[in-house]
Amino acid sequence: TMGNWLVNHWFSAAVIAAWLGINIFLFTYYFLFFDRDERYFYTRAILGSALAWARASAKCLNFNSMLILLPVCRNLLSFLRGTCSCCRRTLRKQLDHNLTFHKLVAYALALLTAVHTIAHLFNLERYNQSQQATDGSLPAVLSKMHLQGSKWLNPIHSNHTTVEYVAFTTIPGLTGVIITLALILMVTSSTEFIRRNYFELFWYTHHLFLVYFAGLVIHGIAGLVRGQTEQSMAEVHPYQCAEYLTQRDQNCTHHCCKEPEFGSIPAESWKWVLAPIILYVFERILRVWRAQQKVVVTKVVMHPARVLELQMQKKGFRMEVGQYIFVNCPAISPLEWHPFTLTSAPEEDFFSIHVRAAGDWTERLINTFQLEMPRIEVDGPFGTASEDVFQYEVAMLVGAGIGVTPFASILKSIWYKFQQADQTLKTKKIYFYWLCRDTGAFAWFNDLLASLEQKMAESGKADFLTYRLFLTGWDTSIANNVALHFDTATDTVTGLRHKTIFGRPMWNVEFAAVAAAHPRSVVGVFLCGPEALAKSLQKSCHQHSSLDPRKVKFYFNKENF
């Protein structure tokens, strides 16, 4: 429900509300300023309200350009997370929504760029029409003033030009085109599909942000949009003198006969973005420094279905469950860093990742490790620990597809805590659900489940973990195989004791069973998977929670990996 969401995400909600509020304030304030201020009386005579649209969107563009780099300073965020370790965990967890905020700001930039560009196309068209007009109207008269000096109002000085020519030959025009192209490429290449399947394309295209910021800083330097100078305002105020401009004769003696003079608005984008750029430079220096620290690959395991497991050690490396690292292999590409969820438990004396072949870089990494032991660089770990799992007597863990990776760390850690009779572990029972399209991807995780199953059985705790594997995409050959081996104790697909179920889980049945088995427990439901699944689990949590405070309650937690 909305109430629950606000309780858990009040910090995110406050940040978004503040961000929206500042955007609305900046836009409204500067729109009214440029639409009413007397210094722009003559500018408005030519441009109309398109001036206010262009300037107000420019202010908001500067504000959002200032913010866009902050959420991707991951070391800065880690530092913040560390300094607010005394804060409530919900607050620290909000810092994990950094990329959501980054995307939100990016969409705002795209929208504002469209507004700004369209407004300026109208402006250029009006400047051009006014310059070519010979009807003696106010815009025509203003456009012919001071064409020789630097006091002009209309930047188009020739009456033989086109809007396109101006857009590609002036500094604001050309940088505007370049910035917009860079932004379009960055936004389109960062869709979920491209990030998952063509990470390199996303990675390299995103470095156009350098072009974006360089262009942004230069963009306003020429000062094509102008207002009347303070001195000229004192001498010939537009409210008194505007009417004289269109009906002057040669021997005019009135104080309004002096022509108004105009000056540019100083460029200010650099003031907005200077501090974030400096912070980001520090961030990159820190990343390079951290990457120089030696990483020893202690074990390489090649699992079926082309999944590579790397076990590593690094001095001073401390991880918690649910965290991730960035990995670089200079032999493949000195620039590319790829995120991987840690699959080891904090109790182990190494940290590990599982790399599946999904794109050029991962393919090359797997191939390289089959031939030699290349040097690996690691930055991290990042992210807030998923320690909430340990706080519930009963935990329902749901992993969908690749979303199962963090649960490797969680399940192992729970088992270690359980064995060592750790006082922080409140968990008495775990239900684990894994939804997956094909059996190939099961292999490595399958081995982990099998070894956990065996260890639990040996120590007489076989009922501590109940799990179900749901194959959501299956073909007839599997079906026939299952039909033949239906009476075996272990599963034909995975070799595990618990049978694999074909199709999707009936969540109502699963929740009802857990509620019946634990009528007085508080059950934590954890998902790492798609949004659609989150909605149905949230609904089930709501439906199956008892209104009686002494009876079963389900709490939903969606992990953000």
Side-chain angles (χ1 to χ4, degrees):
T1 60
M2 191 66 187
N4 281 354
W5 188 89
L6 281 171
V7 169
N8 291 330
H9 299 85
W10 64 269
F11 183 72
S12 293
V15 167
I16 291 169
W19 171 77
L20 263 177
I22 294 169
N23 271 303
I24 292 166
F25 168 76
L26 282 173
F27 195 92
T28 311
Y29 179 85
Y30 283 101
F31 188 92
L32 293 173
F33 176 79
F34 282 97
D35 210 40
R36 294 180 179 177
D37 192 88
E38 46 204 31
R39 276 168 292 181
Y40 300 99
F41 180 89
Y42 290 128
T43 321
R44 284 194 298 277
I46 298 180
L47 302 178
S49 65
L51 167 72
W53 282 99
R55 297 305 304 171
S57 54
K59 292 288 175 190
C60 292
L61 278 166
N62 282 336
F63 171 62
N64 287 288
S65 298
M66 173 180 87
L67 296 179
I68 193 86
L69 285 176
L70 299 177
V72 289
C73 291
R74 52 180 188 247
N75 285 297
L76 175 76
L77 289 173
S78 275
F79 174 72
L80 279 177
R81 202 181 276 112
T83 52
C84 71
S85 55
C86 51
C87 318
R88 284 185 49 204
R89 218 181 142 269
T90 45
L91 185 62
R92 298 208 305 279
K93 199 96 185 93
Q94 304 303 304
L95 289 171
D96 290 348
H97 298 312
N98 57 329
L99 290 181
T100 309
F101 185 63
H102 176 73
K103 287 175 199 169
L104 192 63
V105 173
Y107 291 136
L109 283 174
L111 177 69
L112 291 161
T113 299
V115 172
H116 187 70
T117 308
I118 292 165
H120 270 319
L121 287 173
F122 274 103
N123 288 337
L124 282 178
E125 189 55 51
R126 284 173 183 164
Y127 272 142
N128 204 21
Q129 283 170 356
S130 305
Q131 188 54 262
Q132 289 172 2
T134 53
D135 56 1
S137 62
L138 185 57
V141 173
L142 289 165
S143 298
K144 306 286 184 288
M145 282 180 190
H146 310 295
L147 292 182
Q148 263 41 63
S150 61
K151 310 278 176 68
W152 47 267
L153 173 60
N154 189 331
I156 297 176
H157 294 178
S158 144
N159 53 9
H160 305 295
T161 188
T162 63
V163 169
E164 292 78 15
Y165 180 79
V166 176
F168 286 97
T169 55
T170 59
I171 289 177
L174 193 57
T175 54
V177 169
I178 291 169
I179 289 172
T180 306
L181 282 176
L183 192 65
I184 289 170
L185 285 169
M186 282 190 284
V187 171
T188 51
S189 68
S190 57
T191 57
E192 181 82 11
F193 177 78
I194 289 178
R195 280 204 326 276
R196 287 257 180 255
N197 300 293
Y198 306 97
F199 189 89
E200 293 78 8
L201 180 65
F202 155 73
W203 175 260
Y204 286 113
T205 313
H206 240 62
H207 281 74
L208 285 170
F209 83 92
L210 297 166
V211 174
Y212 175 87
F213 279 101
L216 186 71
V217 168
I218 302 166
H219 185 61
I221 282 177
L224 292 198
V225 175
R226 303 187 132 203
Q228 199 173 346
T229 61
E230 293 293 342
Q231 189 188 346
S232 174
M233 290 286 290
E235 292 170 357
V236 282
H237 198 284
Y239 290 175
Q240 285 110 44
C241 302
E243 56 196 87
Y244 285 91
L245 288 180
T246 49
Q247 48 204 32
R248 277 184 313 181
D249 47 21
Q250 291 301 310
N251 50 3
C252 173
T253 55
H254 194 278
H255 85 277
C256 281
C257 299
K258 187 168 188 230
E259 290 191 339
E261 295 174 349
F262 304 94
S264 59
I265 303 165
E268 54 167 38
S269 291
W270 66 271
K271 293 177 190 168
W272 290 84
V273 299
L274 185 65
I277 287 174
I278 291 170
L279 266 177
Y280 190 76
V281 168
F282 268 118
E283 164 76 22
R284 293 302 284 238
I285 291 167
L286 193 57
R287 283 186 201 177
V288 170
W289 176 74
R290 284 177 66 150
Q292 298 311 311
Q293 296 163 335
K294 193 171 181 342
V295 175
V296 181
V297 178
T298 53
K299 192 175 179 188
V300 180
V301 185
M302 195 67 214
H303 294 282
R306 282 180 73 69
V307 175
L308 174 77
E309 180 184 352
L310 295 180
Q311 295 185 5
M312 296 165 278
Q313 286 177 330
K314 181 180 176 179
K315 197 175 162 205
F317 187 94
R318 282 193 307 280
M319 68 157 288
E320 295 173 75
V321 291
Q323 289 190 310
Y324 62 95
I325 56 172
F326 277 84
V327 177
N328 167 280
C329 179
I332 298 173
S333 162
L335 295 175
E336 282 182 51
W337 288 84
H338 292 248
F340 292 97
T341 303
L342 289 161
T343 51
S344 48
E347 291 82 1
E348 291 171 309
D349 61 353
F350 61 87
F351 61 95
S352 68
I353 56 170
H354 284 71
V355 183
R356 65 184 186 123
D360 302 348
W361 189 88
T362 46
E363 284 279 3
R364 299 212 307 269
L365 185 78
I366 292 167
N367 292 339
T368 308
F369 266 99
Q370 284 174 322
L371 300 170
E372 53 167 329
M373 285 280 270
R375 187 165 71 87
I376 288 285
E377 294 177 354
V378 167
D379 189 15
F382 299 106
T384 308
S386 311
E387 284 172 340
D388 288 359
V389 183
F390 309 137
Q391 306 303 316
Y392 294 93
E393 297 171 29
V394 181
M396 290 173 76
L397 311 180
V398 184
I402 189 142
V404 78
T405 323
F407 291 120
S409 175
I410 291 167
L411 288 172
K412 280 200 268 188
S413 189
I414 288 177
W415 175 242
Y416 283 119
K417 286 187 188 333
F418 192 73
Q419 272 185 315
Q420 294 157 8
D422 190 321
Q423 295 307 306
T424 58
L425 181 73
K426 299 196 175 99
T427 319
K428 305 278 186 286
K429 175 75 186 175
I430 290 174
Y431 293 91
F432 181 63
Y433 306 87
W434 189 9
L435 289 64
C436 199
R437 285 190 63 77
D438 59 66
T439 48
F442 274 151
W444 68 270
F445 195 83
N446 187 40
D447 297 343
L448 169 70
L449 283 175
S451 73
L452 277 176
E453 192 176 43
Q454 193 183 345
K455 284 175 187 164
M456 286 174 193
E458 283 166 7
S459 56
K461 302 281 193 312
D463 55 349
F464 177 62
L465 172 68
T466 300
Y467 54 80
R468 289 215 162 79
L469 309 179
F470 293 87
L471 271 190
T472 54
W474 64 309
D475 54 30
T476 47
S477 63
I478 298 180
N480 294 336
N481 192 16
V482 171
L484 286 172
H485 296 82
F486 201 70
D487 54 348
T488 52
T490 55
D491 198 312
T492 51
V493 178
T494 55
L496 294 168
R497 279 200 189 78
H498 297 249
K499 292 247 187 295
T500 301
I501 298 153
F502 296 97
R504 299 189 178 280
M506 308 281 282
W507 289 116
N508 277 337
V509 176
E510 301 296 340
F511 274 79
V514 172
H518 309 276
R520 296 187 180 281
S521 291
V522 175
V523 182
V525 180
F526 294 84
L527 165 71
C528 183
E531 206 51 56
L533 186 52
K535 287 200 175 79
S536 60
L537 285 175
Q538 209 155 7
K539 200 170 145 197
S540 296
C541 284
H542 201 63
Q543 285 171 347
H544 292 273
S545 289
S546 169
L547 292 171
D548 184 338
R550 292 162 302 180
K551 293 196 175 156
V552 71
K553 283 267 182 301
F554 289 91
Y555 285 103
F556 180 70
N557 299 265
K558 183 177 188 306
E559 289 296 348
N560 214 28
F561 301 103

